Amino acid sequence: MSRRNLVKLAGVGAAAVGLSGAVGLATGQQAFASGPASRKDLEPGDTSNGADNFYTSDKVAVRKISFTNQYEMKVVGNLFVPRELDRRTSHPALVVGHPMGAVKEQSANLYATKMAEQGFVTLSFDLSFWGESAGKPENGVAPDIYSEDFSAAADFLRAQSFVDKERLGAIGICGSGSFVLSAAKIDPRIKAIATVSMYDMGAANRDGLRKSVTPEQRKTMIAQAAQQRDVEFAGGKIQYTGGTPEELTADSSAVDREFYDFYRTARGYHPNTTTHPTLATNAKFMNFYPFADLEIISPRPLLFITGDQAHSREFSENAYRLASEPKELVLVPGAGHVDLYDRVGLIPFNKITEFFRANLR
C-alpha cells in the first residue's frame, strides 16, 4: 500500500467526526512536512462571553522559571504569586497544564492568573517537547513524560518556602486533564485534582469521538506511524499530523472550526506552537490508558468540568463514572469544548476556587 493511501485511510474515522482537529490523527488533508510560517494579519476570532486568553492582572506577579523532570529534561514555566502574599508563611499552590498541542500561553496562563488572584500560588508550564521546554523531536508525543512533568512541577512548588507542601493541587485542561490524572495515580502529593474540557488522549486516538474509529482504521494509523519511523531513520523529514487545520474549507467540520477559531486567530494564536504532533510518535497515545485504576486516587477529591455542549463531554463523564468518591461532575450550560479555554464569562472560576479552598485547607 502506498504512503499516500495510508494517509488517506488513517483519517477515515477521525475525519468523519472532525476529531483530527482536536488530537493527533492523520488525515488526507493533514500530513505536514513542516510547521507553518509566522502568521500575520490574524482574524480577530470570536471573543464573545468574555474570551480573554491573554489576560493579565496587576494583582499578580509573574516570573519565568524552569526545572528538570526525572529524565533530566528542562521544563519551562511561569510562576504566579499574589502580590499581597505573605511570603513568611506557607500557602496552597496549584499546577496548571495546557491543552494538548498548545503551550502555557494558551489557556494555562489564564487559569493560573485567575487562581492566583484568589490567593493561590500557581505554576503553568510547557509540556516536554512543546513550547520552550526541552525534548526532541519538537512536538513529540510521550504521555508518560507529559504526566511526569506534572510531578516535576510539584517538586518545584514544594521546594518554595512560601508553599505548603501538603496543600498542592492541579488543574489539567483538555489533554492535560488525562495527563494530570495519570500523574495523580502515582503521586499522592497532588491532593486535589480538577480537569476542564478533558480529553482522554488515549481513547480519543484509539476510538475517536463516540467510538467512531474501527479496529482496522486504528491498525492503519499505527502502520502509518511505523512506516514514518523508517523514513526518519533513513534521514527523511519529520512529518506532523492532526492538530488544528491551517485553513478552513467548505468541508471543514464543526470541531475543526471550533479549534481554528482559537488557535488560528488573534483570540488564542501563539507562535510557539503549530499544534501538530509528530506523525511517528503519535502512536504512543494508543498505549495510554489514563482512566485505568482511576479509583486509586480516592480519597483525594476530583472535579470534572465540561461544557454541556462540548464534543468532548463523553471523556469527563466516563472519568466521573470510573472514579471513586469524593468526586463531582459540573456541566457548564451552553459551553462547548474550546469555550472553557478562555471565555471567562463561562468558565466557573468560582466553583474551581471553592473546590480547592475546601480541599487544600
Side-chain angles (χ1 to χ4, degrees):
M1 182 178 292
S2 71
R3 179 174 185 76
R4 184 176 182 180
N5 285 336
L6 274 171
V7 173
K8 287 183 178 179
L9 282 173
V12 172
V17 292
L19 186 58
S20 60
V23 297
L25 296 179
T27 74
Q29 293 73 40
Q30 290 186 306
F32 306 99
S34 62
S38 297
R39 304 180 68 90
K40 298 179 180 179
D41 301 322
L42 294 168
E43 303 168 51
D46 178 2
T47 56
S48 62
N49 285 302
D52 199 357
N53 179 68
F54 300 106
Y55 175 79
T56 59
S57 173
D58 292 339
K59 299 177 181 178
V60 178
V62 187
R63 177 168 62 94
K64 181 171 286 189
I65 53 91
S66 65
F67 49 90
T68 56
N69 63 26
Q70 279 193 327
Y71 303 101
E72 300 185 2
M73 300 169 67
K74 181 180 179 180
V75 179
V76 177
N78 291 322
L79 182 67
F80 299 78
V81 180
R83 291 192 183 277
E84 296 184 358
L85 189 84
D86 183 355
R87 295 186 180 227
R88 296 170 298 180
T89 60
S90 59
H91 305 270
L94 301 172
V95 180
V96 184
H98 59 73
M100 177 61 201
V103 288
K104 61 186 178 298
E105 291 83 5
Q106 294 166 315
S107 192
N109 277 359
L110 168 62
Y111 275 74
T113 302
K114 287 290 188 179
M115 297 309 293
E117 286 184 327
Q118 299 304 315
F120 296 91
V121 177
T122 60
L123 189 161
S124 67
F125 65 96
D126 288 330
L127 292 170
S128 294
F129 305 95
W130 294 88
E132 297 178 279
S133 291
K136 297 293 184 181
E138 292 182 357
N139 296 22
V141 170
D144 177 68
I145 296 178
Y146 296 164
S147 298
E148 158 59 24
D149 290 339
F150 275 91
S151 290
D155 296 340
F156 178 89
L157 283 173
R158 285 167 58 89
Q160 307 309 304
S161 61
F162 50 88
V163 168
D164 188 333
K165 291 181 172 62
E166 301 307 315
R167 299 165 71 194
L168 179 67
I171 300 172
I173 304 162
C174 186
S176 277
S178 59
F179 308 144
V180 71
L181 291 179
S182 180
K185 286 191 294 184
I186 58 172
D187 193 342
R189 302 175 304 167
I190 304 174
K191 302 297 185 180
I193 303 96
T195 70
V196 181
S197 289
M198 179 169 55
Y199 255 91
D200 175 345
M201 293 304 302
N205 278 270
R206 285 188 300 273
D207 305 320
L209 295 176
R210 299 179 292 280
K211 298 190 182 300
S212 59
V213 174
T214 68
E216 287 305 313
Q217 289 167 343
R218 183 191 310 169
K219 289 178 181 178
T220 300
M221 288 185 279
I222 293 171
Q224 180 189 9
Q227 189 178 73
Q228 180 62 22
R229 290 182 68 119
D230 288 336
V231 171
E232 293 175 16
F233 187 81
K237 290 184 177 180
I238 293 174
Q239 279 206 334
Y240 300 86
T241 185
T244 299
E246 294 298 321
E247 58 184 27
L248 296 178
T249 70
D251 296 326
S252 294
S253 69
V255 175
D256 280 343
R257 294 176 185 278
E258 182 180 4
F259 281 96
Y260 183 95
D261 189 72
F262 181 78
Y263 287 109
R264 304 295 181 228
T265 72
R267 173 184 165 195
Y269 171 77
H270 197 277
N272 282 1
T273 182
T274 65
T275 78
H276 307 304
T278 65
L279 176 60
T281 64
N282 196 66
K284 299 291 192 296
F285 278 136
M286 301 292 182
N287 278 342
F288 182 49
Y289 292 85
F291 293 177
D293 301 321
L294 196 57
E295 69 278 2
I296 201 172
I297 294 176
S298 179
R300 289 171 289 156
L302 291 166
L303 173 65
F304 304 105
I305 298 173
T306 185
D308 69 353
Q309 303 300 309
H311 65 263
S312 58
R313 174 175 168 174
E314 62 183 281
F315 300 122
S316 293
E317 292 179 332
N318 287 344
Y320 177 77
R321 176 176 56 83
L322 293 168
S324 296
E325 297 286 355
K327 60 183 178 180
E328 185 173 1
L329 175 66
V330 173
L331 301 179
V332 180
H337 176 88
V338 178
D339 289 335
L340 299 185
Y341 284 12
D342 67 336
R343 298 194 192 283
V344 296
L346 292 174
I347 299 169
F349 283 116
N350 288 342
K351 177 63 182 179
I352 299 170
T353 300
E354 173 188 297
F355 171 76
F356 284 115
R357 282 182 177 167
N359 293 294
L360 297 178
R361 290 180 295 185

